[in-house]
Amino acid sequence: MASRFWGQGDSESEEEEEEVESEQGSDSDDDGGRGDAGRSSGGNRYLKNQEDDSDESDTGHRVIRSLRDKRNEEMRSIVDQMRNAMKINDWVSLQESFEKLNKHLEKVVRVNESTEVPKMYIKALVLLEDFLAEALANKEAKKKMSSSNAKALNAMKQKLKKNNKQYEEQIQKCRDHPESFEDEAADDKDMDDDDDDDADESDAEIEDPDKIAMSESEEERDEDDDDKEGWEQKRSKKDKLMDKQFLKDPSEITWDIVDKKLKEIVASRGKKGTGRIERVEQLTFLTRVAKTPAQKLEILFHVISAQFDVNPSLLGHMPVNVWKKCVNNMLLVLDILQQYPNIVVDTSFEPDEKETQKGADYNGTIHVVGELVAFLERLDSEFLKTLQCTDPYTKDYVQRLREEPLFLVVAQNVQDYLERVGNLKAAAKVALRRVELVYYKPQEVYDAMRKLAEQPEDSLDDDDAEAGHEHQAIDDNRGPSPFIVIPEVVPRKPTFPESGRTLMDGLMSLIYKYGDERTKARAMLCDIYHHAISDEFAVARDLLLMSHLQDGVQLMDISSQILFNRVMAQLGLCAFRAGLINEAHGCLTDLYSTGRVKELLAQGVQQSRYHEKTPEQERLERRRQMPYHMHINLELLEATHLICAMLIEVPNMAASTYDKRRPMSRTFRRLLEVSERQTFVGPPENVRDHVMAATRALNKGDHQKAFSVINSLEIWKLLRNRDHVLEMLKLKIKEEALRTYLFSYSSCYESLSLNQLTTMFDLSEQHAHSIVSKMMMHEELHASWDQPTKCIVFHSVDQTRLQGLLLQMADKLSVLVESNERAYEARTGGTLEGVPPPRRRGEGQDSSNMGKWQENFVSSQGRQGGGNRFGYSGRGGGSGQSGGHQRDRGNQGSRGGYGGGSRFQDGRGRNQSGSSARGGDGGARMVNLNRVGRV
Amino acid sequence: MAEHDLTPRLALHLDRHLVLPLLEFLQERGLYPEEEVLAAKLRLLAGTNMVDYAMAIHKSLHHGTDDDEVPEDMVARRAEVVASYVALQEAPSPLVAFLRDPQLVQLLRSDKQYNARMLQERFQIGSDQIEALYDNAKFQFECGFYSDAVAYLNQYRVLSTNGERTARALWGMLASEILNRNWDAALEELNRLKEIIDSKNSSSPLNQLQDRIWLMHWSLFIFFHHENGRNGIIDLFFQDRYLNAIQTNAHHLLRYLAIAVVVNKRRRNMLKELIKVIQHEQYCYKDPITEFLECLYVKYDFDGAQQKLMVCEQVILNDPFLGKCNEGNSITVPFRDEFFENARLFIFETYCHTHRCIDISILAEKLNMRCDEAELWIMNKIKSSKLDANIDSVSGTLNMTVNHVNVHDQIIESLKNLNKRTYMLAQNIVEPAQAALQAAQGD
């Protein structure tokens, strides 16, 4: 590149060409290497590009000429466009064309390496000036113009005036001798130079900067071109002088020059015509010429934020290579901070102008404005975004995933630094970021990650090193070696403890101590999740209950709610694996009650039948999506939920033929009804079909068929301890089959021997005995054992249909009376004390046997809270905003059976109602007294 | 049997001095090698001022070996302790002198501020002297003079205005009273302390939790000795906050709670709740006693329950709180006997509930009794009309009378109530109206 500065003549052009090419080649190596084979498309493009280059240099002249013509053609076509626009009096498009023309001009000038402006351009200016004057003169036409057109006209007027000043002479000349400007094309060609194709390429890119974010490969090329462009531009502008200073006389560069330049570049942010990538390059250059470590640090901060600026839109993600460079810069920052402990990074302190002038040997603290945590968080979310945007089935995705350790190492170092300087609150935030990258990994995946990170001869790292080396080489080409050399103090490799648990525990204790509320809550959720995937249900459950998280989920932000839902799903799976069917059902049922699991877990967008989403909502939702590798397998989840529901619901249905007791799982009931309505039942295809087929078999007490249908599901292979789980499932199915059988057919038997039961259901005698005893104790089965003969003797206490209906009526009447009383209370404001308090149905049953309580806490909670649940069920179905939905759903999740800290409330409540019942008579008298008083 | 020993876990939440009785018990039971227990004691005493005792233990520990000489540092420490004790005895501070004079003590009132002012003005006794009282008490306590410590602390509590140290003084008093085996006073202190812990909302929840766990551990001493302790332990442990504390960080206390519930006939209603807790915490804690309850009431596995019951005996005998013998009579262990009696009853009841006809010999086996013994036991039950059954002596079976609630009765029962309620409601509505009407007519 340096050769360009003095390379004007033809003799050197070839050499230059070569150099450019080699540079490009190395760049492409570097990028291709990092992207590996994954970015095959990018690599190909590069190859093609290279071929083009070499072709050009081989065949040389002819091709270049044609390109040259092409460029002239382009200019001509712009002029033609302008002419057309003039004809229809379209100032808007005219303005556009004018700008385009100017841009074009710059390149032509540069290419020509002469100060002379193409005659075609001058002619166009003249034309325009005339037309403008005409238009301004015609007042009436001006009035008729649309507002945008008029605006454009005014803008044009000013621009042209300014612009034309530069070319006043030529314009005058043109006006004088219009004929000499007619055949300019031929002359121009001769003056052209070999450099041209390069510039042309960049022209194409510059013309529409919007393309930048389109694809990575293009991006890279783009960047390369852009930086050349940037330097050329600079050279052509007034700071050419300073660059020369930088380049040729390293010793002359002072802090002030660098500072001035920095301010200039920083000020250019967001202005028109400053390429984002270009800014990054300029700043990167500055870091090398920085005079003091503090200044270098300051500039690095600007580089990093400029790198974040590269991607303008919220939806797209930061280009991968920029991200990587950003990571390197972060490490560099940390290096500096470690090397010079007297440099302090903060935002609160207002540094004076010359703060960074203090050199490395300065003794006091130097304040530099910056926010490490914010950078890190941004880095993390950019990483997440790339994964969100990438198709998970491509190699790109895997490749990107392999870069996770890169981030982890930065995070670890930042955290270490923050802990060292005592900013523990920020350290907790960083720790949370690390936790969020680790929490969903089971030990196997964690090990894989650890291995990946520790492999020294890994291709990835190799490439990185190479890239670094290459980079250095380019740097040397471009400018002087950095003044401030910072050794790599900070470790470049992440260190992981043996097990994910240890890592989590370490981070957790930091977060719990110093984190803010949200950080703590999220960390807690991650912790629970991690416990759940490591099959520690009891621990996970206790953490969830103790933290009272589900009380406050609906108040949390949406992403935390999603996390909460994920935790509940994982907890359900964990309980299922441990054979705790009721708990599993309790966890999962709320996720499935809306039929929007995908949305709740942020694992895909579900189309709603009832209302369309606005694009805005859709975009928001897409941004919340979980990257693919964090997904919870939905099929497995569904199977788990449905099987749990089946195991609970089938005996429940058999038990309550007469009184339609409240179904334990409405979703399951609904699915069952749908499947029963089918005229023909085909072989099961999806998970749902399988479970329905199993349900049908189980209903008949056919446990073998039920199990074999369930067993034939594909998803079981996803389970770690598959055999164990299936064994458990088999046992559960047998148990429930036995229960269902007894419920359904007990009325047909006078007695039934235990032996027969054990052979029918393939259960051990003891087990069967225990199940039947349990049913007897709960008064689900009206029977008792005859111990000497080992058989069940049934008591014929079954109600007739009439009696059953009567009982139902009694229930309904009591509900009626209750509501009457409530109405009275609401009216008078006092309680109706004379009346014995309403006896809950559940209570009546409970007192008579050792019943419901000893089912696990989840279901008992659910049952006790039955009344409440109805109240809740107005779940704001029509709330339009997706945000509202999410919140609403979090709410439901929170109800997931787990009654929070109120584990023992139900028992207590019962006691109280009992004691107040006793005081009934005394209360009646009091009512009378009251009444007298009132009248 | 050592695997069910809770002493290490209990000791974490006890005062040094309170651990000593536990170690004594272990030494008696011979559960661990004598040397180990002695060494543990020695370590324990190293933090106290009971140097003589420590020396004695040291001697017995190293008896017969070369180094049965008392180590130098112990001797030095003894001299130090004795010196400060003597100094304390001979030159009592003005405040101690004041308190020793009963006439002067009359001057004190219940108003702390007044006392402080009065002492300051008339006797030049400042707050630093009052604080010194606390330190004295601590010294006495460390020396093992618990009654002196109580006396000092009591005075300190009356005089001091420092809230936190008063609370600490209360802990000290509680420990001293326990070690003095003065259960009534200890119970009083316990309640006082409990009030302070529960009312203190300024301290962090973590501290509160810790305090509660300590309190529960200390209370074990009282509850298993005090005559009304059996109700007390259930009342205390089943309070929401305390139960939560148990579930959070002191699962092993479930053993004592379980025993207390089983033994206490009048608190049978707590059994359900207990089972729920046990089941909930079975991943964190289980021992034969909780497993017994689980077998019986969750799994309905009578054989398993019986097996567990057999193991329970050793557990109870080896537990320092449960296994203590009656004074004078070393054979009976009251808790073991009561526990077995009640556990047997539990099994029997559950068994009868699910059976119509039981072979008495099987029943005897389940109850861990001999056959004739069992028959006698059952006969007594039937006679005292606790059991609705009769014995078929020929076939050796027990036949239960099955009585079911008639469906008609059930319906009538559920409807009867409605009538009354509706009537009440109607009356409540009508009467005011009539009264108003009469009032209107009267006018």
Side-chain angles (χ1 to χ4, degrees):
Chain A
M1 273 297 254
S3 63
R4 288 196 191 186
F5 285 104
W6 41 68
Q8 300 262 0
D10 279 347
S11 61
E12 271 179 283
S13 67
E14 249 181 51
E15 191 190 311
E16 189 191 337
E17 179 74 44
E18 261 171 34
E19 195 169 333
V20 168
E21 199 195 310
S22 75
E23 197 180 281
Q24 271 191 344
S26 66
D27 265 1
S28 78
D29 264 359
D30 150 16
D31 293 321
R34 274 190 240 167
D36 214 37
R39 249 186 280 124
S40 55
S41 62
N44 281 342
R45 270 186 212 217
Y46 243 110
L47 279 178
K48 223 183 275 166
N49 202 9
Q50 259 172 299
E51 274 161 25
D52 282 352
D53 279 358
S54 55
D55 272 350
E56 281 157 23
S57 58
D58 285 347
T59 50
H61 222 58
R62 199 179 51 78
V63 180
I64 288 160
R65 277 219 175 272
S66 77
L67 276 169
R68 154 119 254 156
D69 286 348
K70 200 177 115 206
R71 225 246 357 266
N72 276 329
E73 268 316 304
E74 267 169 24
M75 196 156 187
R76 200 166 291 140
S77 77
I78 295 171
V79 176
D80 281 345
Q81 266 174 29
M82 284 172 70
R83 282 210 181 91
N84 288 337
M86 280 179 203
K87 269 179 205 154
I88 55 167
N89 211 8
D90 181 0
W91 284 96
V92 180
S93 65
L94 199 59
Q95 193 182 5
E96 272 169 27
S97 310
F98 179 68
E99 267 155 28
K100 224 152 111 190
L101 191 69
N102 273 345
K103 239 182 221 167
H104 221 83
L105 175 79
E106 266 170 30
K107 286 152 209 161
V108 175
V109 170
R110 197 180 329 113
V111 161
N112 289 355
E113 294 291 336
S114 70
T115 48
E116 206 170 319
V117 186
K119 288 171 182 171
M120 191 158 56
Y121 178 72
I122 302 295
K123 228 181 114 192
L125 285 186
V126 172
L127 212 66
L128 235 126
E129 214 175 38
D130 291 347
F131 185 63
L132 187 71
E134 195 183 310
L136 286 175
N138 192 351
K139 290 265 158 88
E140 251 172 62
K142 205 176 153 192
K143 267 178 202 158
K144 270 190 218 157
M145 275 185 209
S146 68
S147 65
S148 62
N149 221 3
K151 220 165 129 192
L153 171 68
N154 280 334
M156 196 67 207
K157 190 173 79 182
Q158 279 157 12
K159 269 188 199 158
L160 200 65
K161 210 166 153 191
K162 213 164 123 194
N163 193 49
N164 285 6
K165 250 182 208 161
Q166 295 172 37
Y167 311 107
E168 232 166 334
E169 264 178 51
Q170 279 131 312
I171 290 171
Q172 202 50 48
K173 228 158 77 191
C174 177
R175 283 196 194 284
D176 294 346
H177 316 281
E179 66 284 355
S180 68
F181 283 80
E182 284 304 325
D183 52 355
E184 80 290 357
D187 304 344
D188 277 355
K189 271 179 201 166
D190 296 335
M191 287 152 71
D192 277 346
D193 200 20
D194 281 359
D195 239 355
D196 164 59
D197 58 335
D198 196 358
D200 197 22
E201 208 174 284
S202 56
D203 283 358
E205 294 300 335
I206 278 298
E207 270 177 0
D208 76 4
D210 291 353
K211 262 191 195 164
I212 285 174
M214 292 261 280
S215 82
E216 287 164 23
S217 56
E218 236 170 329
E219 194 62 52
E220 279 153 32
R221 191 175 51 162
D222 201 26
E223 194 192 50
D224 285 347
D225 296 335
D226 265 355
D227 67 57
K228 281 168 216 157
E229 170 77 13
W231 289 109
E232 283 172 37
Q233 268 183 351
K234 239 195 254 174
R235 191 158 42 89
S236 65
K237 284 177 190 164
K238 61 178 176 340
D239 42 61
K240 192 172 171 182
L241 183 88
M242 198 160 74
D243 273 330
K244 264 185 189 150
Q245 245 175 345
F246 278 152
L247 292 168
K248 287 180 177 163
D249 261 329
S251 55
E252 277 173 28
I253 299 175
T254 64
W255 182 86
D256 285 316
I257 296 178
V258 179
D259 193 49
K260 201 177 136 213
K261 183 68 188 158
L262 172 68
K263 288 206 175 107
E264 193 180 300
I265 297 172
V266 170
S268 75
R269 180 182 181 223
K271 278 192 187 157
K272 247 188 190 164
T274 41
R276 298 188 195 87
I277 294 163
E278 195 177 298
R279 275 188 65 222
V280 174
E281 285 301 321
Q282 289 171 349
L283 286 167
T284 316
F285 177 83
L286 277 185
T287 58
R288 261 178 290 116
V289 295
K291 291 298 275 187
T292 64
Q295 189 177 35
K296 184 163 181 147
L297 192 67
E298 190 187 8
I299 301 171
L300 268 175
F301 280 144
H302 285 298
V303 175
I304 292 169
S305 46
Q307 276 167 334
F308 286 134
D309 276 347
V310 164
N311 168 42
S313 88
L314 265 173
L315 277 180
H317 58 82
M318 196 168 158
V320 177
N321 60 329
V322 178
W323 186 84
K324 271 187 237 166
K325 277 181 196 155
C326 200
V327 167
N328 281 333
N329 284 332
M330 281 298 279
L331 286 172
L332 218 56
V333 165
L334 291 167
D335 280 338
I336 297 175
L337 288 174
Q338 174 134 10
Q339 188 80 358
Y340 304 100
N342 58 340
I343 300 181
V344 176
V345 177
D346 54 16
T347 45
S348 53
F349 190 81
E350 192 66 45
D352 62 22
E353 277 291 288
K354 303 279 177 191
E355 186 82 11
T356 56
Q357 198 170 6
K358 295 159 185 166
D361 45 355
Y362 180 76
N363 272 333
T365 51
I366 305 173
H367 292 269
V368 177
V369 177
E371 179 70 278
L372 281 177
V373 181
F375 283 152
L376 192 86
E377 285 182 342
R378 185 74 198 271
L379 212 55
D380 184 33
S381 49
E382 289 295 341
F383 181 70
L384 205 72
K385 263 202 245 169
T386 4
L387 288 172
Q388 278 174 349
C389 295
T390 320
D391 180 3
Y393 298 104
T394 57
K395 272 192 163 179
D396 284 3
Y397 193 84
V398 183
Q399 201 52 49
R400 188 72 181 131
L401 215 50
R402 285 164 71 99
E403 279 152 18
E404 201 178 67
L406 273 182
F407 173 75
L408 280 173
V409 75
V410 181
Q412 193 179 348
N413 287 326
V414 171
Q415 193 191 330
D416 285 349
Y417 169 73
L418 290 171
E419 276 175 45
R420 209 163 50 233
V421 300
N423 190 354
L424 290 165
K425 268 194 174 156
K429 270 187 194 165
V430 177
L432 177 66
R433 290 286 165 162
R434 288 176 72 196
V435 165
E436 286 186 6
L437 283 179
V438 175
Y439 80 94
Y440 57 87
K441 292 187 170 89
Q443 186 59 37
E444 292 86 2
V445 181
Y446 179 83
D447 283 339
M449 182 182 75
R450 201 156 58 98
K451 237 168 77 193
L452 174 75
E454 281 167 5
Q455 237 166 30
E457 64 274 50
D458 186 67
S459 61
L460 180 93
D461 290 354
D462 256 1
D463 282 340
D464 259 3
E466 214 174 276
H469 181 73
E470 215 70 59
H471 199 71
Q472 201 60 42
I474 298 164
D475 285 351
D476 287 343
N477 267 347
R478 280 184 188 165
S481 58
F483 297 134
I484 308 294
V485 184
I486 305 292
E488 293 195 354
V489 227
V490 175
R492 290 310 201 245
K493 274 192 183 301
T495 48
F496 292 116
E498 272 294 312
S499 78
R501 190 68 251 161
T502 346
L503 179 63
M504 289 284 285
D505 283 341
L507 295 172
M508 281 304 154
S509 59
L510 179 77
I511 295 173
Y512 289 157
K513 245 187 219 158
Y514 303 107
D516 56 23
E517 279 308 310
R518 180 177 183 269
T519 313
K520 270 195 265 187
R522 279 191 78 95
M524 180 70 96
L525 284 172
C526 293
D527 203 19
I528 296 168
Y529 190 102
H530 195 261
H531 277 297
I533 55 172
S534 7
D535 275 338
E536 294 166 35
F537 178 74
V539 184
R541 177 200 60 189
D542 284 352
L543 271 177
L544 186 68
L545 289 178
M546 268 191 270
S547 61
H548 297 266
L549 275 172
Q550 58 289 54
D551 303 345
V553 226
Q554 55 268 50
L555 302 175
M556 291 203 257
D557 55 325
I558 291 173
S559 102
S560 300
Q561 286 178 9
I562 289 169
L563 184 59
F564 180 82
N565 289 338
R566 281 164 58 75
V567 166
M568 288 311 278
Q570 209 52 263
L571 211 55
L573 287 176
C574 177
F576 179 73
R577 285 194 298 264
L580 305 166
I581 301 299
N582 278 316
E583 279 89 341
H585 185 253
C587 293
L588 297 178
T589 188
D590 280 321
L591 277 179
Y592 275 90
S593 61
T594 51
R596 286 201 188 147
V597 208
K598 271 190 191 169
E599 209 173 309
L600 289 185
L601 295 176
Q603 296 191 168
V605 188
Q606 237 161 8
Q607 288 306 324
S608 164
R609 240 179 299 166
Y610 301 109
H611 64 275
E612 291 280 306
K613 284 178 202 139
T614 62
E616 185 74 4
Q617 286 172 350
E618 254 173 59
R619 218 172 303 135
L620 269 175
E621 208 162 295
R622 215 165 305 131
R623 274 174 54 202
R624 283 197 289 263
Q625 293 300 302
M626 283 288 145
Y628 184 72
H629 65 285
M630 292 166 77
H631 280 198
I632 298 169
N633 188 301
L634 285 176
E635 277 201 350
L636 183 62
L637 200 63
E638 192 186 4
T640 308
H641 168 244
L642 287 179
I643 289 169
C644 290
M646 175 183 85
L647 290 175
I648 293 169
E649 194 65 45
V650 168
N652 189 32
M653 286 192 309
S656 51
T657 36
Y658 289 139
D659 62 323
K660 291 276 179 219
R661 254 192 277 174
R662 222 178 68 76
M664 297 292 286
S665 166
R666 288 171 180 281
T667 333
F668 183 77
R669 280 275 172 103
R670 213 161 40 230
L671 288 177
L672 196 61
E673 275 163 26
V674 170
S675 98
E676 270 167 359
R677 240 181 279 143
Q678 284 174 344
T679 325
F680 301 108
V681 182
E685 277 169 6
N686 54 17
V687 174
R688 195 178 295 171
D689 291 348
H690 275 86
V691 179
M692 287 307 139
T695 307
R696 249 172 266 131
L698 197 59
N699 245 335
K700 292 178 201 131
D702 185 353
H703 66 94
Q704 270 150 346
K705 193 180 166 204
F707 179 70
S708 67
V709 172
I710 297 280
N711 194 22
S712 67
L713 276 173
E714 285 278 311
I715 35 151
W716 297 125
K717 66 172 185 277
L718 296 174
L719 285 179
R720 211 178 316 162
N721 41 4
R722 180 185 159 203
D723 295 334
H724 177 74
V725 170
L726 285 177
E727 204 52 46
M728 176 278 294
L729 207 53
K730 194 171 186 173
L731 193 69
K732 292 279 175 201
I733 288 177
K734 279 186 212 162
E735 280 176 18
E736 297 309 329
L738 170 62
R739 278 161 53 82
T740 313
Y741 184 81
L742 285 179
F743 277 133
S744 313
Y745 302 113
S746 64
S747 53
C748 312
Y749 287 99
E750 174 67 29
S751 69
L752 188 61
S753 85
L754 182 60
N755 213 354
Q756 198 185 343
L757 279 182
T758 53
T759 44
M760 265 172 83
F761 293 99
D762 192 24
L763 284 163
S764 74
E765 202 164 286
Q766 201 187 3
H767 199 149
H769 189 275
S770 134
I771 294 171
V772 177
S773 301
K774 207 177 197 171
M775 287 174 74
M776 288 171 182
M777 285 304 278
H778 295 189
E779 300 208 337
E780 292 170 331
L781 189 66
H782 299 287
S784 50
W785 290 103
D786 189 58
Q787 198 258 330
T789 52
K790 283 194 175 174
C791 62
I792 310 167
V793 180
F794 292 94
H795 314 168
S796 51
V797 285
D798 278 334
Q799 326 153 348
T800 59
R801 175 144 179 80
L802 178 65
Q803 286 164 335
L805 287 174
L806 261 174
L807 273 176
Q808 274 182 45
M809 191 188 76
D811 276 351
K812 285 192 175 141
L813 279 177
S814 71
V815 171
L816 187 71
V817 171
E818 243 171 71
S819 63
N820 271 342
E821 282 167 3
R822 223 172 291 137
Y824 176 80
E825 277 167 24
R827 182 67 196 264
T828 58
T831 52
L832 197 61
E833 279 172 88
V835 177
R839 206 156 47 112
R840 281 213 225 145
R841 265 177 78 204
E843 193 190 319
Q845 287 168 357
D846 270 1
S847 56
S848 61
N849 58 34
M850 302 293 236
K852 307 300 179 207
W853 47 270
Q854 58 96 0
E855 278 176 41
N856 59 74
F857 66 102
V858 174
S859 73
S860 68
Q861 194 73 30
R863 215 173 288 174
Q864 290 294 339
N868 294 344
R869 272 175 165 235
F870 276 117
Y872 280 38
S873 60
R875 48 181 59 133
S879 64
Q881 286 186 341
S882 91
H885 271 291
Q886 290 282 3
R887 200 162 306 138
D888 195 24
R889 234 155 286 132
N891 198 344
Q892 287 161 23
S894 79
R895 248 187 295 135
Y898 278 39
S902 57
R903 285 193 250 186
F904 310 105
Q905 262 179 3
D906 44 357
R908 189 121 305 142
R910 222 176 296 142
N911 290 344
Q912 278 168 0
S913 70
S915 66
S916 61
R918 248 169 272 135
D921 275 359
R925 213 160 292 144
M926 270 179 64
V927 171
N928 284 331
L929 286 175
N930 278 346
R931 203 179 326 119
V932 171
R934 219 181 292 139
V935 170
Chain B
M1 279 321 291
E3 87 244 38
H4 295 302
D5 183 29
L6 290 179
T7 316
R9 296 170 81 167
L10 292 171
L12 284 178
H13 305 280
L14 290 174
D15 191 87
R16 275 174 192 282
H17 296 259
L18 292 176
V19 183
L20 275 179
L22 302 190
L23 288 180
E24 301 268 353
F25 180 85
L26 286 183
Q27 202 176 350
E28 252 173 57
R29 291 293 306 175
L31 208 57
Y32 299 99
E34 178 113 9
E35 293 82 45
E36 276 184 33
V37 179
L38 284 178
K41 266 191 184 176
L42 207 54
R43 276 204 303 281
L44 207 62
L45 289 172
T48 69
N49 290 341
M50 293 145 85
V51 195
D52 283 338
Y53 190 31
M55 280 169 157
I57 289 170
H58 184 88
K59 270 183 194 147
S60 64
L61 185 60
H62 298 286
H63 186 68
T65 56
D66 300 337
D67 54 358
D68 66 346
E69 282 301 304
V70 177
E72 283 298 311
D73 54 338
M74 252 190 208
V75 177
R77 186 158 160 70
R78 181 171 196 282
E80 194 184 306
V81 170
V82 168
S84 50
Y85 180 71
V86 168
L88 213 61
Q89 288 295 317
E90 284 178 356
S93 65
L95 180 59
V96 177
F98 169 84
L99 290 169
R100 276 184 190 163
D101 189 337
Q103 280 183 332
L104 289 175
V105 173
Q106 298 279 312
L107 293 170
L108 291 175
R109 291 191 201 164
S110 63
D111 183 1
K112 280 187 181 183
Q113 301 297 336
Y114 167 81
N115 284 343
R117 219 170 35 246
M118 191 264 293
L119 285 175
Q120 180 71 41
E121 283 165 6
R122 289 182 50 189
F123 301 94
Q124 283 79 46
I125 297 172
S127 64
D128 50 335
Q129 300 219 16
I130 296 176
E131 296 305 309
L133 204 57
Y134 175 87
D135 297 329
N136 280 351
K138 176 92 175 114
F139 182 80
Q140 299 281 3
F141 181 78
E142 292 295 358
C143 290
F145 305 124
Y146 302 121
S147 38
D148 289 353
V150 171
Y152 276 125
L153 285 173
N154 210 358
Q155 288 157 355
Y156 175 77
R157 200 165 51 84
V158 172
L159 294 175
S160 169
T161 47
N162 183 339
E164 196 206 341
R165 283 191 103 179
T166 317
R168 269 195 265 163
L170 271 182
W171 283 104
M173 283 174 78
L174 177 57
S176 308
E177 296 289 11
I178 288 172
L179 289 163
N180 276 337
R181 311 179 69 79
N182 199 351
W183 308 122
D184 282 325
L187 191 62
E188 218 170 276
E189 296 306 321
L190 183 78
N191 287 332
R192 216 173 277 160
L193 207 51
K194 179 171 168 292
E195 247 168 59
I196 289 182
I197 292 172
D198 289 344
S199 68
K200 220 182 351 183
N201 33 19
S202 55
S203 69
S204 74
L206 197 68
N207 280 340
Q208 235 170 352
L209 177 78
Q210 194 59 42
D211 281 352
R212 288 207 178 103
I213 290 175
W214 276 64
L215 194 70
M216 281 191 281
H217 278 89
W218 292 30
S219 71
L220 290 177
F221 286 97
I222 304 168
F223 288 142
F224 285 109
H225 290 94
H226 195 272
E227 70 234 11
N228 195 25
R230 293 175 184 190
N231 288 325
I233 187 172
I234 295 176
D235 290 341
L236 179 72
F237 284 21
F238 269 118
Q239 283 184 23
D240 256 357
R241 292 158 172 177
Y242 289 86
L243 201 53
N244 270 335
I246 291 178
Q247 290 190 314
T248 318
N249 215 6
H251 302 106
H252 49 273
L253 289 178
L254 280 179
R255 173 191 289 180
Y256 300 105
L257 191 56
I259 296 268
V261 170
V262 170
V263 164
N264 199 326
K265 285 200 176 77
R266 271 175 297 175
R267 299 299 177 94
R268 285 290 291 278
N269 50 345
M270 302 310 261
L271 196 60
K272 285 181 197 174
E273 202 163 326
L274 176 71
I275 301 281
K276 203 154 79 178
V277 177
I278 287 177
Q279 220 188 339
H280 195 254
E281 302 301 331
Q282 61 178 332
Y283 303 96
C284 309
Y285 178 76
K286 58 168 68 167
D287 69 13
I289 294 160
T290 63
E291 278 172 326
F292 162 71
L293 289 176
E294 203 192 339
C295 274
L296 193 58
Y297 287 117
V298 179
K299 296 185 196 149
Y300 296 99
D301 173 5
F302 298 101
D303 295 333
Q306 201 221 329
Q307 278 162 14
K308 292 292 171 202
L309 195 58
M310 308 236 280
V311 188
C312 284
E313 179 163 16
Q314 279 307 308
V315 174
I316 291 178
L317 287 179
N318 282 327
D319 192 282
F321 294 109
L322 306 171
K324 70 178 165 67
C325 306
N326 266 356
E327 271 101 52
N329 180 1
S330 63
I331 297 165
T332 55
V333 180
F335 271 105
R336 180 192 60 183
D337 298 344
E338 280 180 55
F339 178 77
F340 272 82
E341 174 68 22
N342 283 297
R344 207 172 274 158
L345 202 61
F346 282 4
I347 297 182
F348 183 66
E349 274 177 10
T350 320
Y351 210 73
C352 289
H353 200 277
T354 55
H355 284 72
R356 196 190 63 168
C357 176
I358 313 162
D359 195 327
I360 289 184
S361 60
I362 303 274
L363 195 59
E365 190 192 304
K366 295 264 187 282
L367 295 175
N368 224 359
M369 283 169 141
R370 273 181 294 117
C371 201
D372 47 346
E373 209 178 46
E375 197 169 332
L376 195 69
W377 192 70
I378 294 167
M379 264 157 63
N380 276 331
K381 291 276 171 218
I382 295 173
K383 232 178 140 189
S384 59
S385 73
K386 275 180 184 158
L387 183 67
D388 197 1
N390 43 34
I391 297 173
D392 185 346
S393 191
V394 179
S395 53
T397 55
L398 177 71
N399 290 322
M400 315 294 301
T401 335
V402 180
N403 50 348
H404 274 282
V405 187
N406 196 329
V407 185
H408 288 285
D409 291 348
Q410 223 175 317
I411 295 170
I412 289 166
E413 178 64 29
S414 60
L415 288 173
K416 195 168 62 185
N417 212 356
L418 292 182
N419 194 18
K420 193 179 160 201
R421 281 161 68 183
T422 318
Y423 178 72
M424 285 297 295
L425 187 69
Q427 229 179 4
N428 273 328
I429 294 168
V430 169
E431 268 185 27
Q434 280 178 346
L437 202 68
Q438 276 173 6
Q441 280 171 354
D443 285 344

